[in-house]
Amino acid sequence: MTDLTIKLTKIVSRAVHKAQEENRKNGVPNVYIINGKRVWQLPDGSFTDKNPL
């Protein structure tokens, strides 16, 4: 990887982690694709395959 790619990856990674934490703090579930399935991580840390919204 180039230096620019590494720097951009770090910046984006930090931004994603910050957004995930803000979602938890504000009671908003985070959405992920795990093994091809859409799952929601609820603010309490639990996961569900049912859309909680």
Side-chain angles (χ1 to χ4, degrees):
M1 277 196 269
T2 67
D3 286 343
L4 179 59
T5 302
I6 292 169
K7 287 179 184 179
L8 289 174
T9 300
K10 287 180 181 181
I11 291 168
V12 170
S13 181
R14 278 188 231 123
V16 167
H17 284 98
K18 182 178 177 184
Q20 290 171 326
E21 188 56 40
E22 285 181 26
N23 284 351
R24 287 184 199 101
K25 182 177 162 183
N26 293 318
V28 178
N30 290 304
V31 183
Y32 304 99
I33 301 294
I34 299 177
N35 295 327
K37 285 181 56 178
R38 190 179 319 159
V39 295
W40 288 262
Q41 183 182 26
L42 304 176
D44 68 2
S46 65
F47 286 86
T48 182
D49 59 356
K50 307 281 188 273
N51 185 341
L53 302 176

